[in-house]
Amino acid sequence: MTQRHPSGTNTGPERTPAFGVPRQRTAQALPEPSATAGAEGPTAAKKPGRDRYLDLLRTIALVRVVVYHLFGWAWLTVLFPSMGVMFALAGSLMARSLKRPPLGVIRDRVRRLLPPLWLFGAAVLTLMFAAGWNPLKDPDHGGALGVVELLNYVVPLGAPPFPWDIGSKSGLLENTWAVQAAGVLWYLRAYLWFVLASPLLLWAFRRAPWVTLFAPLALTAVVGTGLVSIPGETGNAVSDFAVYGSCWVLGFAHQEGVLARVPRYAAVSGSALVMAFGLWWASGHLGPDGWDLNDIPLAQAAWSFGFVVILLQYSPSWQELPGALARWDRLITLSNNRAVTIYLWHNLLIMATVPIIDLAYGLPFMESRSLTAGLDSSYMLWMFMLVWPLIALMILATGWIEDIAAKRKPRLWPDGRRSRARRAK
C-alpha cells in the first residue's frame, strides 16, 4: 500500500550529524527516566512528597516533544526547550537522592532506566531483523563491531546500531523508520552519563558552585561552535554533556537552595541577557531548519539555561495543582508515572499513524475527489489526533515495566485516582 503521507512531514529525528546516531533533540524524552519515582520538592526545607509544579513542567515537556516530532515546527524549540527542562528536573531529583550513598543511588537510577529500554530495544531489533537487517553486513557499523554495538540496546553507554535505510518508501512504514525509532536513545545515553557523573559533579558544585554551573556553557562555546571538533560518537556525547550540563547542575542549585538565595531580579535579568545572547548567536548561525535551536548547540545551551533559571526561580512548589489546572491532575500524574514509556515509543507511534490513516483512502465513500482532498489537507491533524490513543494503548501494554523497574506492584493506568480515593476515606 502506498503511503499517502503529505510531503514535508517531520516525523524523524531532530538532527542527523555527519557521524553517529541521529539526534532526536527536543529532544527526548524527554522525560526524566526516574520520573516514576516521583517529582519531589526542590529544596530540603520544603515539605516532602511530589512537587506538582515540577510534574506539570515534565508533562508540558513530553507533550512538546511529541508535537515537535510530529509537525517539526522549529519555533517550538524556542517556545519551550523541553530537554533543558527535563535535564534540570532530573538533576534536582539526583541531588536530593544523593543524600544516600552514591553507589546505591546510581544503581537505583540505572535499574529504573534499563527494563523499559530492554523492552523497547527487543521490539525494535525484532522488527529490524525481520526486515532483513544484518549488522555483520552493515557497512556503517564495521561488521563484527556492529554486533558489539548491539550491547548499547542493553546498557546505553554509546550509540546503538541501526540501518539507515530499510524497506522501501512505499512500504508499511517509510524506509527511515529505524533511524527515527532508535534516534530517541540519545537522551537515555546522556541521562545515564549524567547519573554516573553526578556524585563528582555534586561534590564539585558544593565546593565551587558557580564554576561548576557555568563550566558546561564554556565547554559548549568550545565544542559546540566548531572551535574544537571531536568526531564520531565521542563528539556527540561531549556535545550533549556540554549543551545540557548547566541545566543538570541548575537542578543541583535548585535542590541545594543556592538558586533561591540569588535575588529574583538579578536571576531574571541575568537569564534574560543569556537568552538574548542565545538568540543573537542563533540569528547568525541558522541551520537547515532555520531557528531550530537543536541545530545550534551554543544557542540551545544559552536559551535553555536562562529559560530553566526563570522557571525554577518562580517555582511555587505546589503540593496540589491549583484552580483550573486541577482538572488535568490525573493526566499529569499518568504522564509522570509513564514518562519513559511515552518518550521511548512516541516517535514509532507517530509513524504508525500513517498506515492507519491510509486505510481511510480505501473506504467506498472516499472515491470522491473532494473527500480525498480534504483528508490530504487534514492529514497532519488526523496524525495528531490518532497518536494519543496509540500512546495510551502503549502505556497499557508496556508501561507496567516501569513499575517493575522501580520495584513496585505493576499498574495498568497509574493516574493517581486510587491513591486519592484512599486518602479521601
Side-chain angles (χ1 to χ4, degrees):
M1 179 184 299
T2 300
Q3 290 178 309
R4 299 295 295 272
H5 198 303
S7 61
T9 300
N10 183 350
T11 61
E14 298 188 8
R15 182 181 175 190
T16 303
F19 302 92
V21 174
R23 312 294 290 276
Q24 191 120 2
R25 302 284 191 197
T26 76
Q28 140 176 171
L30 218 196
E32 197 270 298
S34 62
T36 55
E40 293 90 356
T43 66
K46 294 179 180 178
K47 296 180 181 180
R50 298 189 70 94
D51 187 324
R52 300 302 279 165
Y53 175 71
L54 301 185
D55 285 354
L56 175 64
L57 292 181
R58 185 175 292 107
T59 299
I60 293 172
L62 282 169
V63 172
R64 207 282 278 158
V65 165
V66 176
V67 173
Y68 174 88
H69 286 144
L70 175 58
F71 293 101
W73 292 329
W75 54 267
L76 285 174
T77 64
V78 178
L79 179 66
F80 194 87
S82 286
M83 301 318 295
V85 172
M86 295 312 303
F87 280 118
L89 299 182
S92 179
L93 290 173
M94 192 67 187
R96 176 170 178 167
S97 296
L98 282 173
K99 295 173 183 177
R100 298 185 282 115
L103 288 180
V105 174
I106 292 174
R107 183 183 63 249
D108 289 345
R109 286 290 186 267
V110 172
R111 187 190 67 240
R112 291 176 181 181
L113 174 71
L114 295 185
L117 170 64
W118 294 340
L119 185 60
F120 175 78
V124 170
L125 285 174
T126 299
L127 292 173
M128 291 178 187
F129 294 148
W133 179 57
N134 184 347
L136 284 171
K137 298 180 180 179
D138 191 330
D140 293 321
H141 297 284
L145 180 60
V147 177
V148 176
E149 290 176 344
L150 288 174
L151 293 175
N152 288 306
Y153 285 101
V154 180
V155 180
L157 293 172
F162 51 84
W164 290 84
D165 187 298
I166 188 169
S168 66
K169 293 183 179 180
S170 60
L172 188 63
L173 293 175
E174 61 184 31
N175 59 324
T176 61
W177 70 264
V179 180
Q180 299 177 60
V184 300
L185 298 181
W186 79 268
Y187 171 79
L188 273 67
R189 178 186 63 185
Y191 172 83
L192 179 58
W193 280 110
F194 275 127
V195 166
L196 295 175
S198 281
L200 179 59
L201 285 174
L202 187 58
W203 176 86
F205 176 77
R206 287 170 174 169
R207 285 154 181 78
W210 301 112
V211 173
T212 308
L213 181 61
F214 289 106
L217 287 176
L219 180 60
T220 306
V222 175
V223 301
T225 61
L227 186 62
V228 173
S229 180
I230 305 175
E233 278 309 307
T234 301
N236 291 338
V238 171
S239 179
D240 292 337
F241 185 90
V243 170
Y244 297 109
S246 286
C247 290
W248 186 275
V249 179
L250 273 175
F252 292 175
H254 183 57
Q255 176 64 35
E256 296 280 295
V258 174
L259 192 58
R261 293 196 290 271
V262 179
R264 180 169 290 177
Y265 74 88
V268 174
S269 299
S271 297
L273 290 175
V274 174
M275 294 168 73
F277 167 79
L279 292 182
W280 171 79
W281 181 265
S283 68
H285 300 81
L286 298 180
D289 297 315
W291 284 86
D292 193 326
L293 298 186
N294 299 299
D295 297 327
I296 317 170
L298 184 56
Q300 176 76 287
W303 182 262
S304 297
F305 177 87
F307 199 96
V308 167
V309 168
I310 293 173
L311 285 179
L312 295 183
Q313 269 286 339
Y314 283 90
S315 173
S317 189
W318 295 320
Q319 297 299 306
E320 295 182 1
L321 292 170
L325 290 174
R327 71 183 66 178
W328 302 100
D329 184 85
R330 289 171 59 182
L331 282 177
I332 291 171
T333 299
L334 177 68
S335 67
N336 277 263
N337 282 323
R338 293 294 180 259
V340 182
T341 298
I342 294 170
Y343 180 78
L344 280 175
W345 292 93
H346 78 275
N347 223 26
L348 198 56
L349 295 176
I350 288 174
M351 289 183 287
T353 64
V354 175
I356 295 174
I357 297 172
D358 282 348
L359 294 174
Y361 287 99
L363 296 174
F365 58 83
M366 289 300 293
E367 294 179 359
S368 168
R369 288 187 178 181
S370 60
L371 290 177
T372 300
L375 182 55
D376 286 342
S377 62
S378 61
Y379 204 103
M380 299 299 298
L381 178 60
W382 285 107
M383 290 179 68
F384 176 78
M385 294 174 62
L386 184 57
V387 72
W388 302 109
L390 292 181
I391 288 174
L393 288 174
M394 190 58 66
I395 287 173
L396 290 171
T398 69
W400 48 267
I401 196 72
E402 294 195 52
D403 292 325
I404 292 177
K407 294 186 175 181
R408 287 196 298 259
K409 181 179 178 181
R411 299 167 293 172
L412 287 178
W413 196 256
D415 62 356
R417 179 171 56 89
R418 291 185 179 181
S419 298
R420 284 188 291 275
R422 286 196 296 268
R423 290 196 299 267
K425 291 182 178 181

